Amino acid sequence: MARPTPELIDALRRTARNLKNGAPYQWGHMGGCNCGNLAQELTKLSKDQIHRYAMQRYGDWNEQVDDYCPTSTLPVDLVISEMLSAGLMLEDIKHLEKLDDRAVLMRFPVEERFLKHNVRDDVVAYMNAWADLLEEQLLEKITLPVFNLELIDQEVVY
């Protein structure tokens, strides 16, 4: 599962909002699909740039991830590297394209877990649920300092 970073959580929410508000969505387009839309938010590249980069190598996002090389200078590998630096893991990219990460799906009622990977509303719901999950994980890591109440009650003299 992805590292819960504020950048990734925010990008997931922005992507979901953009899709809900009518951003171009086309599951068969490498820059306009589930991963492509998130990649746009994380990289600030256009859907056409992402698609063009991906077409320099064969395959969909699953195959691009399988062939990913962190030392490559292929543009699609640079896009994937930027996505990973935001907190994603390679498997997360695959799960996003198919909307099939079990931890995310468990957040839905049983009757709503059968998301269709190429339906805009399902992608929006999945990204929002994933962002909520990551935010909860991030908040669990935050520890607030414990204050000594006896010191707080004492009068401070300057």
Side-chain angles (χ1 to χ4, degrees), residues 103-105 107-108 123-134:
V104 176
L105 293 174
R107 300 183 67 81
F108 291 93
V123 177
V124 169
Y126 184 92
M127 286 189 179
N128 281 322
W130 191 14
D132 290 344
L133 174 64
L134 291 173

Side-chain angles (χ1 to χ4, degrees), residues 21-76:
N21 292 334
Y25 178 75
Q26 182 182 355
W27 193 78
H29 188 282
M30 293 291 292
C33 59
N34 307 352
C35 292
N37 272 281
L38 181 59
Q40 288 178 54
E41 283 299 317
L42 290 171
T43 66
K44 303 306 177 202
L45 295 170
S46 72
K47 74 180 187 89
D48 292 331
Q49 286 172 304
I50 293 166
H51 184 77
R52 191 170 51 252
Y53 293 164
M55 291 298 102
Q56 292 177 15
R57 187 164 59 204
Y58 68 92
D60 62 12
W61 279 99
N62 282 309
E63 292 164 318
Q64 297 285 352
V65 166
D66 286 341
D67 293 338
Y68 167 72
C69 175
T71 58
S72 161
T73 57
L74 277 174
V76 72

Side-chain angles (χ1 to χ4, degrees), residues 3 42 68 79-90 93:
R3 280 180 298 114
L42 290 171
Y68 167 72
V79 169
I80 293 171
S81 289
E82 200 162 338
M83 295 172 78
L84 298 178
S85 72
L88 290 171
M89 307 296 278
L90 290 173
I93 296 171

Side-chain angles (χ1 to χ4, degrees), residues 98-158:
K98 297 291 187 181
L99 305 182
D100 66 0
D101 185 288
R102 290 183 52 82
V104 176
L105 293 174
M106 294 299 290
R107 300 183 67 81
F108 291 93
V110 174
E111 65 276 5
E112 295 176 25
R113 288 183 189 161
F114 303 98
L115 302 177
K116 295 200 182 326
H117 64 274
N118 59 353
V119 174
R120 177 190 299 263
D121 290 341
D122 287 355
V123 177
V124 169
Y126 184 92
M127 286 189 179
N128 281 322
W130 191 14
D132 290 344
L133 174 64
L134 291 173
E135 183 176 64
E136 289 169 14
Q137 291 173 351
L138 182 63
L139 291 173
E140 286 175 6
K141 292 181 177 186
I142 296 173
T143 335
L144 297 175
V146 177
F147 294 102
N148 185 334
L149 295 178
E150 291 176 11
L151 293 176
I152 293 174
D153 287 340
Q154 292 176 2
E155 184 178 326
V156 178
V157 179
Y158 292 98

